[in-house]
Amino acid sequence: MADAYIIDAARSPRGIGKAGKGALSEFHPSRLLAKVFEGIAERNDLNTADIDDVVVGCSSQVEHQGSCIGRMAALDAGWDEKASAVTLDRFCGSGITSVNLAAANVMSGMDDLCVAGGVEMMSYTATLGNRDNNRTVDGGNLHLRERHPQPHQGICADMIATLEGFSREDVDALAVESQRRAKLAIDNGHFDKSLIPITNDDGTVALDREEFPRPGTTMESLAELKTVFDQFMDLPIDNTGETFDQLVKRKYPDLKINHVHHAGNSSGVVDGAAALILSNKEYADKVGWKPRARIRAMATVGGDPTLMLNEPVPAAQKVLARAGMTTDDIDLFEVNEAFSVVAAKFIRDLELDPEKVNVNGGAMALGHPIAATGSILIGTVLDELERRDLNTGLITMCTGGGMAPAIIIERV
């Protein structure tokens, strides 16, 4: 089996995901991804006629984000028509899964050169409202709902915090640390290598920095925020009239939820896009590229869809086993901060040194452009491994439906 190499990784800055307020919110979603495609192609002198496939993650594939946004973005970027594309959805895990599938194509010997990535314009999808008046990931399938009740993810986070004994202070402390680390990373240029400034079509700069962080965040300021997801409990899920509280009680009838999550310790709503170039060694040598990293192992797991957010730990364990490694062999970890408890549980259950996890902050400070985040995090780890002269990184994240993809990369 061939090795799959990461040649380069690039991304947009993350813009505030509010229509009319975020710096990227006026971009068409495929245009934003095309801007990243243009940037990564230019700086690598990419011959797009050689691309075997473009694999893109996008979670809300509706209207402007529909119609195979990966193909539309490649065409909009001016790439050769031979560069085919596919668009996939594994909820939040789409940006890791797109890289894993592109890498698998290269490793199988079927493809020599692929581009992978993801995009999510949350400022746009927020304007669509709850399609068909449905607020759950089951899409209104009542037979499925009877088998696997799946609450709102924020409620799942509070359920996990309650079941696992994490307090409001625990999750707030991690959020403050995420903001502190993100500020240090931004101030010291740790994101500069991967970041592609997004320009308007007239050449003016739309956004060239992270727009979401709140560097002045403190434990005191977070303590003033009201929890959010307790306010969801009595909301009707859809036209059935059933509430989230009733949904939770189907599986956890005696659970009294301690609601601890709020806007400050949950992932930020942002717009963003990312791309990576992957190839085999033969193609890289032919065009004179020096690979930056090799993909050591990949894995995906599924688990309890009611709690939904618990699978990063088993995903990490599975990918480590496939690589023949332990946590001691990993220099840096990234676990998406969908909600603070996800990262807190990941660190605790795997007995990790917190100084090796999300070292440049995470989604609580920087935001989480759903299907783009995984691809962004892979690039973030790669840049940081190079900056620190370290070797191995593991990236994973929870997803809707109770799943988690994972990947281990190692510098070449």
Side-chain angles (χ1 to χ4, degrees), residues 122-145:
M122 299 181 77
S123 60
Y124 170 68
T125 58
T127 67
L128 302 178
N130 294 303
R131 293 178 64 82
D132 302 321
N133 194 32
N134 186 272
R135 304 173 188 267
T136 67
V137 299
D138 62 28
N141 182 339
L142 300 185
H143 184 269
L144 168 60
R145 189 176 300 170

Side-chain angles (χ1 to χ4, degrees), residues 149-173:
Q150 299 177 74
H152 185 282
Q153 289 191 350
I155 295 172
C156 295
D158 285 340
M159 292 172 70
I160 293 167
T162 302
L163 292 166
E164 299 288 341
F166 289 100
S167 68
R168 169 76 181 257
E169 291 72 23
D170 293 334
V171 292
D172 279 1

